[in-house]
């Protein structure tokens, strides 16, 4: 209405057609025009204020909404001056709005860019957007990693006006990712087996350490039950472990045995912990298995060596005791033999007294032989040390043994044709072979085969035997094997103890194998014994092989002196010293 009145007034003034109109009339028109202009001005001003209020309300509402968001949002003009700073920016960076407005953003935040700023600005001007990760500095000096998104704001003519920057704090997730990468690298490079599995026992992860220990590749076992690694007699361990995991318990330092891909056994120490999901529910277990096979073998070897040391100390103590007793008993036998000889010489022929003296001398002679065996065991009478052909000693002994073999026990001998020389006493070597063969024959009361073999052996690595350890060297190996009754573990542990025997009373002194042990160990050798009940026994005697020069000395020994027709008489009765 005001606009229409205003237009009419203008027309009346511009076209004064009627002449009768007076000056007053024109003046009234002018006043009306002025009043209309005033009213129009007031109206336009109110409209402008209304639109401005609405725009300001809209901006305030937008600012309020931006303050409510958790994102960090601020606006900077094209000269990098901050013109807007929301509450999220205050919370993240520590500067309040009044402190941030009007500051240069890159100086305030000390921004570290992933690429030169010129490249980022060029991409922003070209596309209107840019996204990437930035490092900002907070008010307290600490750094924060943000996922940043930039948006370019331009006017109607396309001229850039400002940059809207939205940032999300990803410091925690970034550190978690880096920790996960470090953990993955540790898991991948660990010598221990690191395995995860479900509560149902299904393998879900498998590192390189697990492949090294168990032999399976990851693609071979992932999705398979963990039971493929557990021996049949230890399957119960898995159910016990899972039960503990369900109760949120951990397993620490649990030592057990597992199966490798090739079927071999490996000793492991297990540490097992529950795996939980984001809701805190247990969904599986993480297992760390450390290979302790070498440690277990070392412990077993240490225990074995300790047992051998105790056995050697016991045998040495028994030997010293036996030697002392034998010496004293030998003195007693000396008197018995001397007075027995005197009684035997003085007693009338074919008298009871002569028979009694003969019985005394026979018993004393047997006692002296027993004393000699005891003294040999106690090492108080060492044999001579000279190059001795073991082949000759074994051959000569087997000739005597074969003459007394029962018909149901054949002899199977394998002796090299060339000499095998060791440093020792040929007589003692005869004793070793004779005692081993005698024991073998007695063990085959129902018949069997006696096998004797002799060979040269070269050891390139150290070898641990049942009774002794061999170093790197050349050896003569004498093997005596029977197919008799065999021995159990309890008997095997005591076979070299003096006076220990499983024979009936009167059939053995228990000194035969003790003497073998004493001679072999005295010659720096070792013994390996294998036996099982009803499976027979095998004794392997290892003696150091002499050097070639010593072996050659055997061939140039002086020949046996020959007699010139003289005669020698032998009597089983001791002759009088008179």
């Amino acid at each position: 209405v005001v606009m229409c009145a205003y237009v009419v007034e203008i027309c009346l003034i511009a076209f004064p057609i009627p002449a009768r109109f007076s000056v007053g009339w024109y003046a009234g028109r002018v006043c009306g025009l002025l009043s209309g202009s005033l009213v129009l001005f007031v109206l336009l001003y109110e409209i402008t204020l209304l639109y401005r209020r609405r725009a300001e309300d809209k901006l305030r509402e937008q600012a309020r909404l931006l303050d409510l968001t958790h994102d960090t949002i601020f606006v900077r003009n094209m000269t990098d001056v901050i013109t807007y700073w929301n509450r999220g920016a205050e919370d993240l960076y520590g500067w309040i709005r009044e402190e941030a407005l009007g500051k240069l953003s890159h100086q305030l935040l000390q921004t570290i860019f992933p690429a030169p700023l010129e490249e980022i600005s060029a991409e922003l001007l070209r596309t209107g957007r840019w996204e990437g990760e930035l490092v900002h500095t907070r008010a307290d000096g600490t750094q924060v990693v943000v996922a940043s998104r930039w948006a370019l704001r331009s006017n109607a003519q396309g001229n850039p006006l400002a940059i809207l920057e939205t940032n999300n704090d990803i410091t925690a997730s970034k550190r978690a990712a880096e920790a996960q990468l470090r953990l993955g690298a540790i898991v991948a490079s660990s010598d221990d087996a690191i395995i995860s599995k479900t509560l149902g026992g299904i393998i879900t992860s498998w590192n390189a350490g697990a492949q090294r220990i168990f032999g399976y590749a990851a693609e071979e076992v992932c999705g398979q039950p963990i039971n493929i690694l557990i021996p049949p007699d230890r399957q119960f361990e898995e159910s016990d472990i899972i039960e503990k995991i369900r109760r949120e318990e951990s397993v620490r330092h649990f030592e057990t045995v597992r199966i490798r891909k090739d079927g071999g056994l490996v000793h492991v120490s297990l540490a097992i912990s529950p795996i939980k999901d984001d809701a805190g529910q247990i969904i599986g277990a993480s297992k760390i298995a450390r290979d302790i096979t070498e440690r277990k073998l070392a412990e077993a070897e240490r225990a074995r060596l300790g047992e051998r040391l105790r056995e050697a100390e016991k045998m040495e103590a028994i030997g010293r005791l036996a030697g002392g007793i034998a010496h004293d008993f030998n003195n007693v036998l000396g008197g018995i033999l001397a007075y027995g000889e005197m009684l035997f010489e003085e007693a009338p022929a074919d008298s009871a007294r002569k028979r009694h003296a003969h019985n005394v001398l026979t018993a004393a002679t047997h006692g002296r032989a027993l004393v000699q065996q005891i003294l040999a065991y106690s090492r108080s009478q060492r044999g001579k040390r000279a190059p001795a052909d073991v082949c000759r000693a074994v051959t000569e002994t087997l000739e005597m043994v074969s003459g007394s073999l029962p018909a149901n026990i054949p002899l199977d001998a394998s002796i090299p044709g060339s000499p095998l020389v060791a440093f020792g006493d040929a007589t003692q070597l005869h004793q070793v072979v004779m005692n081993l063969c005698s024991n073998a024959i007695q063990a085959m009361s129902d018949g069997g085969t006696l096998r004797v073999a002799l060979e040269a052996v070269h050891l390139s690595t150290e070898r641990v035997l049942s009774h002794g350890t061999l170093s790197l060297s050349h050896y003569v190996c004498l093997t005596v094997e029977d197919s008799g009754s065999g021995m159990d573990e309890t008997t095997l542990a005591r076979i070299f103890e003096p006076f220990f025997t499983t024979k009936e009373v009167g059939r053995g002194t228990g000194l035969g194998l003790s003497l073998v042990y004493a001679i072999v160990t005295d010659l720096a050798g070792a013994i390996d014994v294998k036996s099982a009940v009803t499976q027979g026994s095998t004794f392997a005697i290892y003696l150091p092989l002499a050097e070639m020069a010593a072996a050659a000395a055997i061939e140039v020994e002086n020949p046996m002196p020959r007699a010139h027709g003289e005669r020698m008489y032998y009597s089983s009765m001791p002759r009088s010293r008179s």
Side-chain angles (χ1 to χ4, degrees):
V1 173
V2 172
M3 288 295 295
C4 291
Y6 186 70
V7 171
V8 171
E9 290 294 338
I10 292 175
C11 292
L12 290 176
I13 295 174
F15 304 102
I17 297 174
R20 62 181 178 274
F21 294 154
S22 62
V23 176
W25 185 84
Y26 281 103
R29 301 284 77 77
V30 172
C31 290
L33 182 60
L34 291 176
S35 61
S37 299
L38 179 62
V39 171
L40 181 61
F41 174 78
V42 172
L43 181 60
L44 292 176
Y45 179 75
E46 289 293 334
I47 293 174
T48 303
L49 287 179
L50 177 62
Y51 277 99
R52 182 179 295 175
R53 274 193 225 101
R54 287 182 178 178
E56 290 176 352
D57 290 343
K58 186 176 181 180
L59 289 175
R60 279 195 294 269
E61 180 64 19
Q62 290 177 347
R64 187 180 69 83
L65 293 176
L66 291 178
D67 282 340
L68 291 177
T69 183
H70 295 291
D71 293 341
T72 299
I73 301 174
F74 60 89
V75 178
R76 48 194 171 87
N77 60 24
M78 300 309 295
T79 60
D80 200 35
V81 176
I82 298 174
T83 59
Y84 175 76
W85 188 265
N86 79 333
R87 192 177 300 278
E90 292 181 350
D91 295 338
L92 177 60
Y93 299 117
W95 284 289
I96 62 174
R97 185 171 300 161
E98 289 75 11
E99 293 175 324
L101 294 177
K103 301 291 178 61
L104 296 177
S105 68
H106 298 153
Q107 292 182 357
L108 180 70
L109 301 177
Q110 301 178 25
T111 307
I112 299 176
F113 294 96
L117 181 58
E118 293 78 8
E119 295 181 8
I120 297 176
S121 299
E123 181 179 348
L124 180 66
L125 293 174
R126 185 176 64 255
T127 63
R129 293 183 176 277
W130 178 85
E131 293 185 5
E133 293 182 3
L134 302 176
V135 179
H136 288 161
T137 302
R138 295 188 179 101
D140 58 6
T142 60
Q143 290 185 331
V144 58
V145 182
V146 296
S148 185
R149 294 182 297 276
W150 295 6
L152 186 63
R153 294 292 180 259
S154 304
N155 57 16
Q157 289 75 31
N159 297 320
L161 298 178
I163 300 173
L164 174 66
E165 186 171 333
T166 305
N167 297 322
N168 291 326
D169 184 4
I170 59 171
T171 306
S173 60
K174 193 74 175 177
R175 290 175 179 171
E178 292 174 354
Q180 190 68 25
L181 289 175
R182 288 194 297 270
L183 179 61
I186 293 172
V187 169
S189 62
S190 175
D191 288 335
D192 295 336
I194 302 178
I195 307 167
S196 60
K197 61 183 179 180
T198 66
L199 291 178
I202 302 300
I203 299 172
T204 57
S205 69
W206 185 268
N207 75 330
Q211 180 174 348
R212 182 187 61 82
I213 293 175
F214 298 109
Y216 291 98
E219 55 271 14
E220 294 180 287
V221 293
C222 287
Q224 298 294 322
I226 196 73
N227 289 345
I228 63 174
L229 305 177
I230 305 176
D233 59 339
R234 293 179 177 267
Q235 291 290 330
F236 66 91
E237 294 178 352
E238 178 63 15
S239 57
D240 293 345
I241 289 172
I242 291 297
E243 195 61 34
K244 289 185 177 181
I245 295 299
R246 291 183 186 277
R247 297 196 301 265
E248 298 189 23
E249 298 179 7
S250 297
V251 177
R252 293 286 183 271
H253 308 299
F254 175 56
E255 296 184 0
T256 184
V257 178
R258 291 294 181 259
I259 303 177
R260 291 176 47 85
K261 181 181 180 180
D262 58 9
L265 296 179
V266 56
H267 293 267
V268 294
S269 176
L270 301 181
I272 307 173
S273 302
I275 296 178
K276 298 181 180 180
D277 59 13
D278 295 337
Q281 298 296 321
I282 297 176
I283 58 174
S286 174
K287 175 191 295 185
I288 300 177
R290 175 163 295 177
D291 186 355
I292 59 172
T293 303
E294 292 186 1
R295 193 193 81 193
K296 283 293 185 181
L297 293 177
E299 290 176 355
E301 179 64 17
R302 190 160 49 248
R304 197 157 47 241
L305 292 176
E307 182 63 28
R308 285 183 182 173
L309 178 60
R310 289 189 292 271
E311 185 70 18
E313 291 174 346
K314 180 181 69 174
M315 300 286 278
E316 184 179 358
I318 294 176
R320 287 198 299 267
L321 175 63
I325 294 175
H327 278 295
D328 293 338
F329 188 53
N330 202 31
N331 295 334
V332 176
L333 284 177
I336 295 174
L337 286 170
Y339 285 107
E341 289 176 357
M342 294 171 60
L343 290 175
F344 182 81
E345 294 291 338
E346 294 175 358
D350 298 329
S351 64
R353 206 163 145 199
K354 190 120 180 151
R355 290 196 309 274
H356 295 163
H358 178 271
N359 292 337
V360 169
L361 289 175
T362 301
T365 302
H366 290 164
R368 183 172 60 183
L370 180 61
V371 167
Q372 295 302 320
Q373 289 186 352
I374 296 174
L375 289 174
Y377 167 73
S378 66
R379 304 181 185 179
S380 60
Q381 294 181 344
R382 292 177 180 267
K384 64 179 182 178
R385 294 291 180 272
D389 185 0
V390 183
C391 293
R392 180 184 300 174
V394 173
T395 302
E396 292 173 353
T397 307
L398 290 182
E399 288 179 1
M400 293 185 290
V401 170
S402 59
S404 60
L405 274 176
N408 60 349
I409 302 180
L411 173 62
D412 180 8
S414 175
I415 310 298
S418 57
L420 294 177
V421 181
F423 277 103
D425 188 339
T427 302
Q428 290 184 339
L429 295 178
H430 281 283
Q431 289 178 313
V432 170
V433 179
M434 182 62 73
N435 282 322
L436 291 177
C437 291
S438 298
N439 278 358
I441 294 170
Q442 292 174 7
M444 296 185 289
S445 57
D446 297 331
T449 302
L450 174 62
R451 294 183 176 85
V452 180
L454 193 64
E455 61 178 339
V457 177
H458 171 66
L459 297 184
S460 57
T461 59
E462 186 178 78
R463 181 181 298 180
V464 179
L465 306 181
S466 61
H467 294 80
T469 301
L470 299 177
S471 58
L472 315 183
S473 185
H474 297 270
Y475 294 90
V476 179
C477 178
L478 168 66
T479 304
V480 178
E481 180 183 356
D482 66 72
S483 56
S485 56
M487 295 175 284
D488 56 21
E489 293 184 1
T490 303
T491 305
L492 274 174
R494 302 186 61 190
I495 55 175
F496 294 121
E497 290 184 11
F499 309 112
F500 172 76
T501 180
T502 57
K503 302 171 186 175
E504 297 86 354
V505 177
R507 292 198 58 189
T509 62
L511 286 173
L513 289 180
S514 303
L515 183 60
V516 170
Y517 178 84
I519 293 173
V520 172
T521 53
D522 188 44
L523 297 178
I527 306 175
D528 195 26
V529 184
K530 296 178 181 178
S531 183
V533 178
T534 71
Q535 301 297 318
S537 303
T538 302
F539 285 77
I541 308 297
Y542 290 85
L543 298 175
L545 190 64
E547 297 179 358
M548 295 303 297
I554 296 291
E555 304 299 329
V556 296
E557 286 181 345
N558 293 328
M560 180 70 70
R562 301 184 64 85
H564 300 284
E566 297 88 351
R567 295 183 179 181
M568 296 180 64
Y569 294 92
Y570 173 77
S571 173
S572 61
M573 303 288 9
R575 298 184 60 84
S576 173
R577 297 178 182 177
S578 60

